[in-house]
Amino acid sequence: MNRLYHESEDWVRQGACRNYDPELFFPVSTTGPGRETVELAKAICRSCTVRRDCLRWALRAGEAHGVWGATTPEERRYLRRELLPAAS
């Protein structure tokens, strides 16, 4: 388990993903045939009541793999760049 996880983050137990094989959320690729898997994982995330908590955690933890909060690693890198102030 990631060292940034805390017991107070009970949103994990409420995630829609808990009812699916975890491998679905960690596709080998986000392009080509893997794209379909990514889209399925994102659709599950979009229906999730704790999606925002999940995305917030993934951004804070710097999660470099998998679909979290309906985002791919590439999308999260973009979000982090947008959220962090530019260095002066």
Side-chain angles (χ1 to χ4, degrees):
M1 184 168 291
N2 189 297
R3 62 184 164 73
L4 293 177
Y5 175 80
H6 299 287
E7 288 301 318
S8 63
E9 294 177 341
D10 62 353
W11 60 266
V12 172
R13 290 186 285 281
Q14 299 171 31
C17 59
R18 73 187 181 284
N19 297 316
Y20 296 88
D21 184 341
E23 288 187 25
L24 174 65
F25 298 91
F26 292 90
V28 174
S29 172
T30 59
T31 60
R35 189 77 197 144
E36 188 174 311
T37 303
V38 168
E39 289 307 317
L40 177 56
K42 288 172 115 180
I44 293 166
C45 290
R46 284 191 289 271
S47 73
C48 185
T49 60
V50 295
R51 174 182 171 197
R52 298 181 110 205
D53 295 313
C54 180
L55 177 56
R56 188 177 305 118
W57 182 88
L59 289 170
R60 189 177 71 232
E63 188 60 60
H65 305 285
V67 174
W68 294 83
T71 63
T72 63
E74 295 82 12
E75 292 165 336
R76 289 192 300 279
R77 281 193 293 275
Y78 174 79
L79 286 171
R80 279 191 291 276
R81 281 193 304 266
E82 291 297 309
L83 295 173
L84 295 175
S88 311

